[in-house]
Amino acid sequence: MQALLAAPLLVPLATACLAALFWGRAAAQRAIGMAGSLVLLAVAALLLREVAAGGRIVGQMGGWPAPFGITLVVDAFAAIMLLITGVMAVSVSLYAMASGARERDRAGFQPLLHSLLLGVCGAFVTGDLFNLYVWFEVMLIASFGLLVLERTPAQIDGGLRYVMLNLVGTTFFLMAVGLIYGLAGTLNLADLARLAPGIANQGALAAAGMLLLVAFGAKAAVFPLFNWLPAAYHTASVPVAAIFAALLTKVGVYAIIRVWTLLFAHDVAFFGPVLGAVAVATMVVGVLGAAAHHDVMRILSFHIISQIGYMLVGVALMTPLAIAGSVFYILHHIIVKANLFLLAGAIRREGGSFALARLGGLWVGAPLLGLLFLVPALSLAGLPPLSGFWAKLMVIRGSIEAGANLVAAAALLVGLLTLYSMVKIWNEAFWKPAPEGAALPAPAMGERAASYAPIVALAGITLAIGLWTEPFARLSLVVAGGLLDREGYIAAVLAPGATHLAGVVP
Amino acid sequence: MRPSLILRTSAPMLLWLSLLASLYVLVRGHNEPGGGFLGGLVAASGLLFHAIARGPEGVRTLLVLHPVQLSALGVLLAATSGLPAFLGPDGAYLTHLWWFAELGVTLPLGTALLFDLGVYLAVVGMAVAIFIGLLEWKAARAAATEGGE
Amino acid sequence: MELPFALAIGVLVAGAVYMLLARDLPRMLVGFVLLGTAANLLILLAGRVGGMTPPLVAAGMAAPGADAANPLPQALILTAIVIGFGLAAFALMLIVKARAVLGTVRPDEMAAAEPRAGAVSSPPTPPRALPPPRREAA
């Protein structure tokens, strides 16, 4: 059990190191990367099977007991996020075997990708605030490397914007950690959850909370800290943009949900309206940005921002149904968004550009691509019977039941505008006649298979969640129950006798 | 600018001296200030000196492995040092096991030493990768400006 | 001890904000380093500045002395310094690269990722030739 708990960290770590040992040998790196992704998926599935009923697996690294050492906790929320990370790792590894693989791998794509996965998985399983900071940094450094992988001028320009904002964001995180340590004398999340309601100076705690919100919000690209995302994502290569879109912002959302349900659940009166306002503003501003742009990658980047708003509704309202809605939304969004970015890559390969004005006629040239595009695009907009419909339904119903009608209205309106920009891509890229210009030579069959396989698989998952919603919705409710059960989390981590100090070394 | 004769002659000696010192710092870290990180930095400073005297290529040939490979090896070693803990009764990852070798003096050996050695290699690799990158960039820039004039 | 520390943190943050507001990337990087130092001092202060002896367990003892300093902030700060150093080194390399490829270190002169005018994004402009460094040119 302890080995299984550490496995989500060890597998990407070992994969990244092994791939780096084969520096300069692209084919071997690619094989190692693919194998590592598959093992990560298997490990995550095993972990989810253990905790799907609502249990928790707790481990103390190095045998140091809970408030002193570093705690790893896997509950249903962490396990489900790990599973989806595994799915993304396999899809992107597969897609990255298609065009440009050799150049990418020579630049170090595989070690960086798995270092990124290491940071992401670490952030999901840790039970310690400072350790969360460390995993954020691991993720950040790997993402810097991935973003400027090809060293084009656009990437360096976009990368600098991303780096500069994130440098400041992580420093804010560090300051918040310092303040919280000064107030509570501990950084273990369970211990903090136990002590937080009793801290005399609640004002200082709320101030530290706002600093944390800035740090996590910059990561999650919420309003008004989102400017780096559309400036940077569209410059990255397609597999990198897909894994960023799927995971990076969601780690920020995960951190917000985890920390707010544990540390600030007693202060919903203050943070509820703040988070609610941030959520609505993020939804609206993101979708307006998407409506104004005419480049596939930029439109998709702005949609990430817009959808982050939905995921924050749960933690703003703190009701079981709203949190379950957020969890379901994250699940659905990761799959749909990564798929849309992979599709954008396929659109460019078939049509030669990301710019809508230069695209056209793809419905004639690549009808399969058109059908595949419709699944995630309509799911993102929230049309039944796709996964996005149920996700939006849960969020909206959760907000109406909690009396937040404004949030529900914003969610509905934003869904309509999402549909508008998806239809825009459809009309321009697929429907309108092809503009003047030389068509690209059709990609080789093997390459096409490698890039279409993950797209088909992810579209299949989207359909499956949509048509067979029951188990996913029930799992989301289990996750929400676990997140609201603070006492259970505290008891599981701080259980006496769970660990003992190792024999004192002379 | 060519490094002076004195620098070129003394660089190898200083390199071995600093590598020796780095090993001392590495082992000292068992119970006193020191350890893999500091040791790695001391070793890297020796290598940096060598790179200034003999050029980045000199360090590359000296290390055999690519700096990135060296770092990867180090991290892998550090991660592996936590694995024997799983053999224990309720071992959590990174619970270090100890073995006190009686060779005249008591030699405290343990998986923690392996961890420190891994950190040492990782730090050396990273530091070398960074300064080789900067030195080569500087050389390329110098060549570019000379060519332009 | 709290007042001088608090003042030092305040001065560092003020300097950091001033540098971060500059329209010049190397200055912004200096600002980040100052901000990181302020955060580290904040953690040290949060751990209560008191004992001055190193928190090391002497030979034959089971616990460090009564006036030992709090070791946790030191461990946190050491980690944060290492990470901050790595991030700053990476950012510096990126700025150096940006100067070579984009020919400027001023963010408002960079337009490769977000072209100013025209909705249709043009293909990235070819890298400008490396301008001769000012020092050699003078």
Side-chain angles (χ1 to χ4, degrees):
Chain A
M1 192 54 71
Q2 288 296 318
L4 190 60
L5 183 63
L9 304 181
L10 292 178
V11 171
L13 180 68
T15 313
C17 289
L18 286 175
L21 279 178
F22 283 89
W23 190 254
R25 291 168 60 185
Q29 287 194 358
R30 216 170 305 149
I32 292 169
M34 190 70 218
S37 302
L38 286 170
V39 175
L40 181 63
L41 180 62
V43 162
L46 285 176
L47 274 169
L48 183 60
R49 204 185 59 179
E50 292 289 335
V51 297
R56 292 180 180 86
I57 307 176
V58 179
Q60 318 290 351
M61 292 303 93
W64 297 92
F68 308 112
I70 291 170
T71 309
L72 298 190
V73 189
V74 171
D75 58 2
F77 191 26
I80 210 169
M81 296 302 286
L82 286 173
L83 183 71
I84 213 134
T85 305
V87 172
M88 283 306 119
V90 173
S91 312
V92 169
S93 295
L94 192 58
Y95 189 88
M97 289 181 170
S99 69
R102 178 171 296 274
E103 296 75 36
R104 234 187 344 256
D105 286 339
R106 281 199 188 282
F109 173 71
Q110 299 288 349
L112 285 169
L113 172 68
H114 286 272
S115 308
L116 182 79
L117 292 173
L118 169 68
V120 170
C121 293
F124 290 155
V125 300
T126 188
D128 185 280
L129 198 58
F130 191 78
N131 199 228
L132 184 64
Y133 166 77
V134 173
W135 291 125
F136 263 55
E137 301 301 310
V138 171
M139 200 168 77
L140 200 58
I141 292 175
S143 65
F144 288 170
L146 282 173
L147 196 58
V148 295
L149 202 61
E150 274 114 1
R151 313 273 195 281
T152 63
Q155 284 189 347
I156 289 176
D157 185 4
L160 273 169
R161 289 159 206 268
Y162 175 73
V163 166
M164 281 303 167
L165 192 104
N166 274 293
L167 287 182
V168 177
T170 57
T171 313
F172 276 23
F173 191 175
L174 198 58
M175 288 186 168
V177 166
L179 286 176
I180 290 177
Y181 177 63
L183 286 169
T186 179
L187 288 172
N188 185 294
L189 284 177
D191 210 23
L192 279 173
R194 184 173 66 86
L195 295 169
I199 288 173
N201 194 346
Q202 285 293 328
L205 187 65
M210 288 307 288
L211 270 180
L212 273 185
L213 193 60
V214 169
F216 295 159
K219 187 106 281 206
V222 302
F223 178 84
L225 303 163
F226 61 84
N227 280 312
W228 59 271
L229 193 147
Y233 273 24
H234 69 96
T235 64
S237 59
V238 171
V240 171
I243 198 86
F244 278 17
L247 295 176
L248 279 195
T249 47
K250 260 54 77 179
V251 176
V253 175
Y254 176 92
I256 291 179
I257 294 180
R258 177 67 79 194
V259 169
W260 257 261
T261 51
L262 284 172
L263 260 67
F264 301 106
H266 63 282
D267 206 3
V268 183
F270 174 69
F271 280 111
V274 171
L275 284 165
V278 166
V280 171
T282 308
M283 277 186 221
V284 174
V285 171
V287 86
L288 290 180
H293 275 86
H294 296 274
D295 176 292
V296 180
M297 292 283 262
R298 277 171 204 264
I299 293 174
L300 294 179
S301 299
F302 271 103
H303 273 300
I304 300 177
I305 299 166
S306 157
Q307 312 280 316
I308 294 292
Y310 288 90
M311 300 171 202
L312 290 180
V313 168
V315 79
L317 301 176
M318 275 301 178
T319 62
L321 187 64
I323 290 183
S326 291
V327 172
F328 195 102
Y329 211 102
I330 294 175
L331 237 153
H332 132 81
H333 175 83
I334 290 180
I335 287 168
V336 164
K337 192 44 105 192
N339 201 3
L340 280 172
F341 271 92
L342 297 183
L343 273 161
I347 287 178
R348 187 179 57 171
R349 201 163 312 130
E350 303 283 351
S353 176
F354 286 132
L356 289 178
R358 296 186 191 181
L359 286 167
L362 286 180
W363 179 243
V364 181
L368 176 65
L369 189 66
L371 282 179
L372 286 172
F373 174 77
L374 278 184
V375 174
L378 296 181
S379 177
L380 193 74
L383 258 62
L386 296 160
S387 60
F389 170 71
W390 303 106
K392 283 205 168 62
L393 182 71
M394 279 174 85
V395 169
I396 290 170
R397 186 153 167 218
S399 8
I400 290 176
E401 277 185 14
N405 293 326
L406 191 66
V407 175
L412 281 171
L413 179 74
V414 169
L416 203 64
L417 286 170
T418 308
L419 186 62
Y420 161 70
S421 53
M422 286 298 134
V423 168
K424 185 168 73 182
I425 297 183
W426 170 260
N427 278 346
E428 296 281 321
F430 291 94
W431 214 231
K432 120 190 145 189
E436 298 295 308
L440 286 189
M445 207 52 219
E447 271 194 4
R448 200 176 253 182
S451 61
Y452 273 43
I455 294 176
V456 172
L458 292 176
I461 296 177
T462 308
L463 272 174
I465 297 179
L467 296 173
W468 194 45
T469 318
E470 185 75 18
F472 294 97
R474 205 179 309 127
L475 195 58
S476 304
L477 283 169
V478 168
V479 169
L483 281 172
L484 288 172
D485 174 28
R486 289 204 307 164
E487 305 305 322
Y489 186 93
I490 296 168
V493 173
L494 297 179
T499 49
H500 56 82
L501 274 175
V504 177
V505 177
Chain B
M1 187 194 77
R2 247 170 90 80
S4 74
L5 179 68
I6 298 173
L7 180 61
R8 272 180 291 142
T9 319
S10 59
M13 279 187 291
L14 283 165
L15 171 67
W16 296 115
L17 207 64
S18 68
L19 285 186
L20 205 64
S22 76
L23 284 181
Y24 170 69
V25 173
L26 168 70
V27 179
R28 191 180 121 101
H30 173 56
N31 257 346
E32 275 172 279
F37 189 78
L38 291 183
L41 285 180
V42 172
S45 66
L47 287 168
L48 171 61
F49 205 61
H50 194 75
I52 291 171
R54 298 287 173 93
E57 273 316 307
V59 175
R60 276 190 201 279
T61 44
L62 195 72
L63 285 178
V64 184
L65 290 175
H66 190 277
V68 173
Q69 288 176 315
L70 200 66
S71 289
L73 193 67
V75 176
L76 204 59
L77 198 63
T80 316
S81 77
L83 291 180
F86 292 134
L87 300 174
D90 58 348
Y93 181 63
L94 280 178
T95 310
H96 288 296
L97 304 177
W98 291 91
W99 176 54
F100 296 95
E102 300 287 347
L103 302 169
V105 290
T106 313
L107 215 58
L109 295 175
T111 51
L113 185 64
L114 217 57
F115 185 89
D116 255 359
L117 196 63
V119 173
Y120 178 93
L121 289 178
V123 170
V124 170
M126 256 8 264
V128 170
I130 290 175
F131 73 63
I132 281 189
L134 283 172
L135 281 172
E136 282 176 348
W137 168 74
K138 206 177 148 201
R141 208 177 76 153
T145 47
E146 269 170 29
E149 278 162 5
Chain C
M1 274 309 264
E2 271 189 31
L3 190 65
F5 263 86
L7 285 175
I9 294 168
V11 170
L12 278 172
V13 172
V17 170
Y18 180 77
M19 293 305 261
L20 280 170
L21 291 177
R23 302 192 157 203
D24 178 282
L25 287 168
R27 279 167 197 261
M28 290 172 74
L29 190 64
V30 173
F32 160 71
V33 174
L34 284 178
L35 200 63
T37 313
N40 290 338
L41 277 182
L42 184 69
I43 294 178
L44 190 68
L45 188 59
R48 308 293 186 272
V49 182
M52 288 294 172
T53 45
L56 290 174
V57 183
M61 304 283 281
D67 64 340
N70 185 352
L72 189 75
Q74 303 184 15
L76 300 186
I77 291 169
L78 183 61
T79 314
I81 287 175
V82 172
I83 292 174
F85 171 74
L87 290 178
F90 182 88
L92 188 62
M93 296 280 281
L94 204 57
I95 292 171
V96 163
K97 194 83 191 166
R99 167 125 164 75
V101 175
L102 305 169
T104 178
V105 289
R106 297 169 66 83
D108 45 2
E109 287 172 9
M110 294 180 182
E114 285 186 289
R116 284 293 122 71
V120 180
S121 52
S122 55
T125 49
R128 267 193 254 167
L130 188 73
R134 227 166 278 145
R135 192 151 33 85
E136 276 90 337

